[in-house]
Each structure stands twice: as structure tokens, then as C-alpha cells.
Amino acid sequence: MKRANSLEKAVRAHTNLSTFATLVSILEGGHLYGGNPRSDRAAQKIIDICKAEQQKLLRDYDTALAATLTSE
């Protein structure tokens, strides 16, 4: 049961990593028009939040994956 729980945590972390990576890609990819400084600052804040969350999720993913591999 522990292995299944760890595997589920790893899958969820990986899925969330993909979601945050998509958001960063969209915002960094020039999809904001007009060069509005306020929008640019807001986009950068969102990018920073997403990247910080990605780092947390990477740690969660690595921990869950390691637990899955050691519980075989």
C-alpha cells in the first residue's frame, strides 16, 4: 500500500509540474500584447510563483519516486 501511495504522489507532482511548466511557457512565449508594463509585471510575478512551485514539486516528486523504488 505504501508503494501505491508513493506512486500516486509522484504522478500528481509530475502532472502539476507539467501544468506549471505550461503556464510559464505561455507567459514567457510572448503571448501578451501591447507592452503594457503592468501586464508584464503581473506576468513576471506569475512566472516567479510558478517556478517556485515547480521547485517544491520537483522535491516532492523525487521524494515520492525514491519511496516507490525503495518499497519494492
Side-chain angles (χ1 to χ4, degrees):
M1 187 63 154
K2 181 179 177 185
R3 183 171 189 252
N5 188 32
S6 295
L7 185 59
E8 183 177 337
K9 286 180 182 180
V11 168
R12 288 177 188 260
H14 185 271
T15 301
N16 289 341
L17 274 166
S18 297
T19 301
F20 283 110
T22 300
L23 292 170
V24 170
S25 178
I26 290 168
L27 292 171
E28 287 182 341
H31 292 283
L32 294 177
Y33 300 102
N36 182 328
R38 196 174 58 237
S39 294
D40 292 341
R41 283 192 303 275
Q44 189 57 54
K45 285 181 184 179
I46 295 167
I47 290 168
D48 293 343
I49 291 167
C50 288
K51 287 184 176 183
E53 186 61 23
Q54 284 177 298
Q55 291 304 308
K56 293 174 190 174
L57 288 166
L58 278 171
R59 286 190 296 274
D60 292 348
Y61 176 78
D62 289 343
T63 300
L65 191 59
T68 300
L69 296 174
T70 60
S71 66
E72 290 182 353

